[in-house]
Amino acid sequence: ARSVFASLGLPAIGFRAPYLASNETTRELLGRDGFLYDSSTPRFLLGPDSPAFAPTLRLAESRYGVDLSASAAPRRVGNFMELPVALPDDEILIDGLGIRRPSTIERVFESILETAGGRGSVIVLQVHPERFHLCRTAVERVVARATDLGGWITPLSHIARWALRNHSGSGRWPQGRPFALSVTGDLDALSLGDFVRRRWGA
């Protein structure tokens, strides 16, 4: 896949494992092959005051085995960066809990922003393209709120390069910005058949 992208002039410098199923072997291979970052490690960042905390945590734990005590800061692994993915994501909210109301999704994303932004973390929101129409308003408003708070809104590649140069962890971002935010997507349904299998479990 990386060779195909390169042949089209699209260098692949980052990686996200399907269903966030990565391990140390994955990271060893990525480091060996010259990737700049991996964004496959899930971190549950919803604040305990959110009404969605308990049900989304149960789903996150059952699907990903999330360690609540782990940091959401970037982590250097050899010569590349691990940039954790924020949970709950659109899959947990929309597929797992059946939430369709944009205002509810917005409140969840804002709670993530408040919790992780206050720690100086990197916040990597994950929204799959097939659900973006349900998340668009929430993403727009959270990005606007993050901008008002002085957050660094930037692609994962920029976060990884900054962190590698500056040995950055939590609380240290360009121009003294309080946190970093990146909105990412996962394209894991490429054909109509993929959507059918995801929707009806065929």
Side-chain angles (χ1 to χ4, degrees), residues 1 26 46-47 49 81 94 108 139 146 151-152 169 180:
T26 309
L46 187 61
D49 294 336
M81 296 301 299
I94 296 169
V108 170
V139 168
W152 186 29

Side-chain angles (χ1 to χ4, degrees), residues 16 36-37 39 83 122-124 154-161 182 184:
R16 175 168 292 152
L36 176 63
Y37 67 87
S39 186
L83 306 176
V122 59
I123 305 165
V124 180
T154 191
L156 292 178
S157 58
H158 293 186
I159 294 172
R161 288 192 178 99
S182 189
T184 67

Side-chain angles (χ1 to χ4, degrees), residues 20 40-46 53 56-73 75 84-87 119:
L20 307 182
S40 306
T41 303
R43 291 288 181 263
F44 191 82
L45 300 182
L46 187 61
F53 180 83
T56 55
L57 177 59
R58 281 195 296 272
L59 276 176
E61 288 177 332
S62 66
R63 293 183 181 196
Y64 304 112
V66 173
D67 178 5
L68 273 179
S69 64
S71 170
R75 180 172 72 100
V85 181
L87 294 182
R119 300 174 187 162

Side-chain angles (χ1 to χ4, degrees), residues 82-99:
E82 175 63 40
L83 306 176
V85 181
L87 294 182
D89 63 357
D90 64 319
E91 190 160 82
I92 287 176
L93 296 173
I94 296 169
D95 282 5
L97 296 180
I99 294 171

Side-chain angles (χ1 to χ4, degrees), residues 5-202:
F5 281 124
S7 72
L8 298 171
L10 301 169
I13 59 174
F15 180 78
R16 175 168 292 152
Y19 305 103
L20 307 182
S22 68
N23 54 33
E24 288 305 318
T25 302
T26 309
R27 287 181 274 278
E28 287 174 12
L29 292 171
L30 295 174
R32 184 195 70 190
D33 289 344
F35 281 82
L36 176 63
Y37 67 87
D38 174 47
S39 186
S40 306
T41 303
R43 291 288 181 263
F44 191 82
L45 300 182
L46 187 61
D49 294 336
S50 170
F53 180 83
T56 55
L57 177 59
R58 281 195 296 272
L59 276 176
E61 288 177 332
S62 66
R63 293 183 181 196
Y64 304 112
V66 173
D67 178 5
L68 273 179
S69 64
S71 170
R75 180 172 72 100
R76 185 168 187 150
V77 182
N79 58 352
F80 77 103
M81 296 301 299
E82 175 63 40
L83 306 176
V85 181
L87 294 182
D89 63 357
D90 64 319
E91 190 160 82
I92 287 176
L93 296 173
I94 296 169
D95 282 5
L97 296 180
I99 294 171
R100 296 289 188 276
R101 185 173 295 181
S103 60
T104 304
I105 298 169
E106 180 184 344
R107 285 195 297 272
V108 170
F109 284 178
E110 284 184 343
S111 181
I112 290 172
L113 178 62
E114 290 172 10
T115 300
R119 300 174 187 162
S121 299
V122 59
I123 305 165
V124 180
L125 294 180
Q126 175 177 233
V127 178
H128 294 73
E130 63 268 27
R131 302 188 199 98
F132 191 77
H133 65 289
L134 295 170
C135 300
R136 184 186 69 184
T137 301
V139 168
E140 289 174 347
R141 292 184 178 173
V142 166
V143 168
R145 175 65 177 151
T147 302
D148 290 343
L149 293 171
W152 186 29
I153 318 301
T154 191
L156 292 178
S157 58
H158 293 186
I159 294 172
R161 288 192 178 99
W162 166 265
L164 281 169
R165 284 195 311 266
N166 296 276
H167 309 290
S168 178
S170 177
R172 212 178 146 211
W173 299 109
Q175 291 88 47
R177 294 179 183 272
F179 59 87
L181 171 70
S182 189
V183 179
T184 67
D186 267 4
L187 187 61
D188 54 13
L190 297 177
S191 69
L192 181 59
D194 293 329
F195 284 101
V196 169
R197 281 189 289 275
R198 288 173 62 90
R199 178 64 181 85
W200 289 284

